Amino acid sequence: MCGIALLVSGIRIGLSSLNLDSISSSSKSHLVFSVDDLKAALQRRGPDSLGTMKLLLPLHSNSSNSTNYRVSSFNEESHVLDKGSDMSESFAEFVFLGATLQLRGVSPVCQPLMDSSRNVLVYNGEIFGGIEVGIDKNDTESLMQSLGNCCSCRSQEHRTTCDFNGQAKGSIVDVLSVIKGPWAIIYWQESSKTLWFGRDAFGRRSLLVHWPTMEDPRFLLSSVSPTSSRLQDSSFEVENGSSGIKFWEELSCGIYSMSVDVKKSDGSFHSEIKKHEWTNAMLKELIEWERVSIEPKPAELNFSHSRTSSAELDINSSSSVLAQNVLTALRESMLRRISLYNIYQALKETVPVAVLFSGGLDSMIIAALLDQCLDPNYEIDLLNVSFDGESAPDRISAKTGLKELRRVAPLRRWRLVHIDADLSKLTWETKRVLSLINPANTYMDLNIGIALWLAARGEGWICKESNNETDEDKRVNYTSRARILLVGSGADEQCAGYGRHKTKYRHDSWLGLHKEMKLDMQRIWKRNLGRDDRCIADSGKEARFPFLDEDIIRTLLDIPLWEVADLDQPSGKGDKKILREVAHMLGLHNAAILPKRAIQFGSRIARESNQKNFGSNRAANQASAGSVVINVQSYFS
């Protein structure tokens, strides 16, 4: 994983093809920060190395009728320009930054990368399929090689107009469209003088964008919003965009290009940003999120109801086959994310993987599958956050879940990490998280962000003797060193786990439920994943989402909706029905009947936040506190 960023100046950039309603020439958005501020924010994500590279595009006038340019570069660390560059000329500047958290390969790799053709890459992602990555290789190096073999075609009509057509050279879009796994990318293709950037189709890695405005004509991309070194308490609201002025926004999922040209009329650099269509047909089907069957026939529904009411699963039933398909796909998803050859060799002496653990259905399934897939010599850290000590619902269910895991996997060394917090004492931490969730800005975003940030940091306590979890004299301070954090995101969206799904089903039946779930999946990048990635990565940890594997999404869409969920049944039974069947197959019979509980409620941070900011839970509910924009000045008063 990496923190990546790009700063572009000296180019007039057109955005008309993107139809961006949020861009306004009258906007006063301006965020004061230095490159050092940006480096500091990125290096918290990638503590192993930090690199910077500048590309300068000088204008050279050979005659009154022609203007051309070439690329010069220098590493900011050495401040050495390539020979021939004349800094007195007008030029465009590209500053690439990459901070690396080494998670794959046998030797460290520092970003940005530049190949022999002077292409430049900063990449934040994992490649679990689509592009071959050798056992001893790094994802970024393998991707750099694949991109370097691409044609220079800028056109959407690559297959009919490209000069390399028929010579086994694909386009940049072709290569990025086949990657399985989470990614965000910034890539300079020297041969076409084109900048490529984007996020995977589900937005599993953060990438923020600042589109050029009249007040700030720079074009900026970054994994995270930097906190200004000039930040003071009184100016925090404005500096971080919480005042209603949005400097950053989440980049919409997809692949973008920006080809740089010189306009002869004024001799200046111009560019137009274009968004490209995915070229992988299977991926486009997943994005459309169309299910094979949505509305059941009466006989099918009656059969499903009778099976849901049964105490035991019939291993020969069709439903059991469907649940087995999901379990198989989940196990393969887990293997892709934690196989040791995919983990940087230097990390193998430590606990490599931890689980964001509430003891609920999703995290229990993840923990049980992790046990099946991870070398038995490793301990597994279960990270549990509470704002109410041992009384928080998530702490209670986590301790119950630990007992169940020890029953189904008695040979595994499980370590429940108790991460206790007091919201009133988290002033600095809250300010930090406010910057991380940006551009999200509601109390719900902040509460979730704080809980995730604390979990990822992994600082808490464990019981010295595993058989006596409640003896305070046995508590030992402990910090998890796992660099990979498994998270259950995507399970509720795909399996009807939210209360609003039941509401929609009651009002609009199966078709309404399908549309609501589709909406959730198509906006998960904006509502959840960018925020969650930034909060978890700030501690040098990488979030991985087994439920958002491409094959899992395909497998669940191939199952009739009434077999995924039966919302005529009570909570804890019909919601996420297919996953409850999977839990039974794993021997997790207690977890299989637990109702859904969001992290902000299970950890009780929402209760603490409501009392602090609204006076009581009742007042917060009346104000719909979760969607209220944070009043930063009053928050810290």
Side-chain angles (χ1 to χ4, degrees):
M1 187 195 76
C2 291
I4 63 175
L6 171 74
L7 297 85
V8 178
S9 58
I11 301 177
R12 297 181 182 178
I13 299 175
L15 305 172
S16 59
S17 65
L18 300 181
N19 297 317
L20 297 174
D21 295 332
S22 61
I23 300 299
S24 172
S25 60
S26 61
S27 172
K28 301 299 181 183
S29 61
H30 188 70
L31 185 63
V32 179
F33 65 89
S34 67
V35 173
D36 287 338
D37 296 330
L38 189 53
K39 287 181 179 179
L42 295 176
Q43 193 151 33
R44 291 178 66 93
R45 297 174 59 94
D48 294 336
S49 66
L50 175 66
T52 307
M53 183 177 295
K54 286 187 180 181
L55 296 182
L56 301 177
L57 279 64
L59 286 168
H60 297 276
S61 297
N62 296 331
S63 69
S64 59
N65 296 321
S66 65
T67 305
N68 55 53
Y69 62 95
R70 56 188 174 80
V71 174
S72 299
S73 68
F74 71 97
N75 185 308
E76 192 175 58
E77 302 300 326
S78 61
H79 295 275
V80 176
L81 278 169
D82 284 352
K83 292 181 179 180
S85 294
D86 182 358
M87 290 297 292
S88 65
E89 297 181 85
S90 297
F91 60 91
E93 181 179 84
F94 294 73
V95 181
F96 296 84
L97 298 99
T100 305
L101 176 73
Q102 193 77 38
L103 291 176
R104 193 164 182 174
V106 297
S107 58
V109 173
C110 298
Q111 297 196 48
L113 296 183
M114 176 181 278
D115 64 15
S116 58
S117 299
R118 303 177 69 82
N119 303 311
V120 179
L121 173 66
V122 284
Y123 180 70
N124 175 25
E126 301 292 334
I127 298 176
F128 298 131
I131 295 176
E132 183 176 354
V133 180
I135 292 179
D136 59 343
K137 298 298 183 181
N138 175 274
D139 308 71
T140 308
E141 292 176 313
S142 300
L143 179 59
M144 184 66 153
Q145 183 176 357
S146 295
L147 293 173
N149 291 330
C150 289
C151 70
S152 306
C153 181
R154 303 177 182 179
S155 173
Q156 294 269 29
E157 301 173 351
H158 162 77
R159 287 174 174 77
T160 58
T161 65
C162 181
D163 293 337
F164 290 103
N165 197 35
Q167 299 183 32
K169 287 203 173 191
S171 69
I172 300 291
V173 177
D174 290 337
V175 170
L176 297 180
S177 292
V178 300
I179 295 176
K180 288 187 175 182
W183 56 265
I185 189 173
I186 305 170
Y187 179 69
W188 171 260
Q189 188 182 45
E190 164 67 5
S191 59
S192 64
K193 303 296 186 292
T194 301
L195 180 75
W196 295 86
F197 58 96
R199 297 170 74 181
D200 73 75
F202 303 102
R204 291 164 290 187
R205 287 290 170 263
S206 169
L207 193 59
L208 303 178
V209 60
H210 166 70
W211 303 110
T213 64
M214 293 293 291
E215 289 73 26
D216 190 340
R218 296 174 298 171
F219 172 63
L220 306 176
L221 295 166
S222 179
S223 298
V224 63
S225 171
T227 302
S228 172
S229 58
R230 291 160 48 181
L231 180 62
Q232 302 295 327
D233 287 354
S234 61
S235 62
F236 186 86
E237 183 174 7
V238 175
E239 292 273 10
N240 285 273
S242 298
S243 61
I245 299 172
K246 294 290 187 180
F247 182 87
W248 297 103
E249 64 179 71
E250 298 272 3
L251 181 70
S252 298
C253 300
I255 303 170
Y256 302 78
S257 68
M258 185 180 86
S259 300
V260 180
D261 293 300
V262 177
K263 191 172 183 180
K264 292 184 178 181
S265 61
D266 60 9
S268 62
F269 287 108
H270 286 250
S271 183
E272 181 75 23
I273 294 179
K274 297 180 180 179
K275 188 174 184 179
H276 299 261
E277 294 290 331
W278 302 98
T279 58
N280 184 334
M282 293 181 64
L283 180 61
K284 288 196 284 188
E285 289 181 4
L286 297 186
I287 296 169
E288 289 299 317
W289 214 77
E290 293 299 335
R291 190 176 297 279
V292 293
S293 188
I294 297 172
E295 298 186 88
K297 298 176 181 178
E300 294 171 324
L301 192 57
N302 290 335
F303 175 78
S304 179
H305 280 165
S306 64
R307 181 182 50 74
T308 304
S309 301
S310 176
E312 297 292 336
L313 283 171
D314 180 357
I315 60 173
N316 297 315
S317 70
S318 60
S319 62
S320 179
V321 172
L322 295 175
Q324 184 61 56
N325 290 343
V326 175
L327 176 57
T328 299
L330 277 171
R331 188 177 289 114
E332 292 173 351
S333 170
M334 182 66 70
L335 280 169
R336 280 190 281 272
R337 281 156 178 79
I338 60 92
S339 295
L340 289 187
Y341 76 83
N342 283 340
I343 299 176
Y344 182 43
Q345 302 296 309
L347 304 179
K348 289 191 176 181
E349 295 182 0
T350 66
V351 176
V353 186
V355 180
L356 179 62
F357 190 71
S358 67
L361 175 65
D362 307 335
S363 64
M364 285 290 288
I365 290 175
I366 287 175
L369 288 172
L370 177 59
D371 168 69
Q372 294 181 7
C373 298
L374 186 66
D375 188 307
N377 293 318
Y378 289 106
E379 298 174 335
I380 294 177
D381 286 347
L382 307 172
L383 308 178
N384 180 266
V385 178
S386 171
F387 286 80
D388 193 18
E390 300 303 285
S391 301
D394 276 3
R395 179 61 53 82
I396 294 170
S397 60
K399 293 165 73 172
T400 302
L402 177 62
K403 293 178 182 178
E404 188 161 39
L405 288 172
R406 285 175 171 160
R407 177 180 58 79
V408 300
L411 299 181
R412 175 69 64 182
R413 289 173 294 168
W414 301 98
R415 188 153 47 197
L416 180 61
V417 184
H418 306 67
I419 302 169
D420 296 330
D422 182 342
L423 188 60
S424 65
K425 298 179 180 179
L426 297 178
T427 301
W428 177 87
E429 293 85 350
T430 300
K431 291 179 179 179
R432 179 70 199 158
V433 174
L434 270 169
S435 178
L436 292 170
I437 66 172
N438 189 9
N441 60 359
T442 69
Y443 285 101
M444 182 182 71
D445 290 311
L446 179 59
N447 292 337
I448 294 172
I450 291 173
L452 291 175
W453 187 86
L454 290 170
R457 193 170 59 165
E459 295 181 3
W461 58 272
I462 59 175
C463 287
K464 189 174 182 180
E465 295 182 8
S466 59
N467 293 328
N468 195 354
E469 288 282 331
T470 60
D471 189 347
E472 293 192 13
D473 294 334
K474 301 297 183 180
R475 294 184 179 187
V476 177
N477 291 337
Y478 175 79
T479 299
S480 175
R481 301 300 179 190
R483 287 188 160 197
I484 296 171
L485 180 56
L486 298 175
V487 185
S489 301
D492 291 307
E493 288 80 0
Q494 296 183 83
C495 299
Y498 291 121
R500 63 177 175 271
H501 292 145
K502 177 166 284 193
T503 300
K504 198 68 175 178
Y505 172 72
R506 287 173 176 170
H507 289 164
D508 300 313
S509 193
W510 293 102
L511 185 58
L513 172 61
H514 170 73
K515 289 180 178 179
E516 187 71 13
M517 294 168 68
K518 179 177 180 177
L519 176 63
D520 280 344
M521 278 299 290
Q522 291 182 336
R523 66 186 180 185
I524 191 173
W525 62 273
K526 188 172 185 178
R527 290 170 63 107
N528 302 77
L529 296 180
R531 174 199 65 203
D532 297 354
D533 174 75
R534 292 189 293 276
C535 291
I536 291 171
D538 192 59
S539 297
K541 309 292 176 69
E542 178 174 279
R544 294 188 178 177
F545 310 105
F547 289 109
L548 289 173
D549 183 270
E550 288 84 352
D551 290 346
I552 291 292
I553 298 172
R554 178 72 274 163
T555 299
L556 288 171
L557 286 174
D558 285 341
I559 298 175
L561 182 54
W562 60 91
E563 297 290 2
V564 173
D566 181 1
L567 299 187
D568 289 321
Q569 300 294 324
S571 177
K573 191 172 184 179
D575 54 314
K576 298 198 286 190
K577 180 179 69 171
I578 193 74
L579 293 185
R580 298 184 188 281
E581 294 172 359
V582 168
H584 279 298
M585 288 179 168
L586 291 169
L588 305 173
H589 304 301
N590 292 331
I593 60 174
L594 290 176
K596 161 69 180 176
R597 190 169 52 237
I599 188 173
Q600 65 269 34
F601 302 116
S603 67
R604 289 206 165 146
I605 186 176
R607 186 187 71 175
E608 300 302 306
S609 174
N610 289 343
Q611 291 174 351
K612 172 182 173 61
N613 298 295
F614 296 91
S616 67
N617 276 330
R618 182 177 181 181
N621 291 335
Q622 291 175 342
S624 300
S627 59
V628 174
V629 174
I630 302 162
N631 186 324
V632 178
Q633 291 180 342
S634 65
Y635 192 101
F636 295 104
S637 60

